[in-house]
Amino acid sequence: IRTSAFTIVGAYITNDPITKRWGLTDTVIALQTMVIAAHLQGIGTCWIGDYNEVRLRETLNIPPTASIAAIITFGYAHKVPGTRKKRALDTILHTNTW
């Protein structure tokens, strides 16, 4: 996080019935759209889900009425990972049953 060009913390308000229900979904959609847009411009990203929530809330003054969805760092990658081998479709697709 310290060496990224910038970092976005996706948070949403939870003390309202609408945002409590849809806040996480809307926030994650927005974050993923940023990741896709960054990729299209040659910028690397990294989702971070393991963080000290108490320290993050204190540092950014995030109120208790908000929940944190994720953290995403942005920057130019030192190394671009190669393409992974895709799994066979019949091993990941299920129709009408698991």
Side-chain angles (χ1 to χ4, degrees):
I1 293 174
R2 289 185 180 144
T3 61
S4 69
F6 65 95
T7 301
I8 293 182
V9 176
Y12 59 98
I13 301 300
T14 56
N15 66 345
D16 172 272
I18 293 174
T19 56
K20 184 174 184 174
R21 174 149 169 75
W22 293 104
L24 176 61
T25 301
D26 291 344
T27 302
V28 172
I29 289 170
L31 292 171
Q32 183 60 31
T33 302
M34 291 178 215
V35 167
I36 293 168
H39 175 74
L40 292 173
Q41 296 182 43
I43 298 171
T45 60
C46 181
W47 284 80
I48 299 173
D50 186 18
Y51 52 88
N52 182 324
E53 185 171 345
V54 172
R55 187 170 177 198
L56 182 61
R57 284 180 175 281
E58 289 173 357
T59 301
L60 298 179
N61 198 28
I62 298 172
T65 56
S67 289
I68 300 167
I71 301 171
I72 301 180
T73 58
F74 293 78
Y76 293 103
H78 294 285
K79 182 178 175 185
V80 177
T83 304
R84 296 186 315 180
K85 183 179 176 188
K86 295 187 182 217
R87 293 188 282 173
L89 187 59
D90 63 350
T91 66
I92 60 173
L93 177 67
H94 305 279
T95 305
N96 297 328
T97 184
W98 185 262

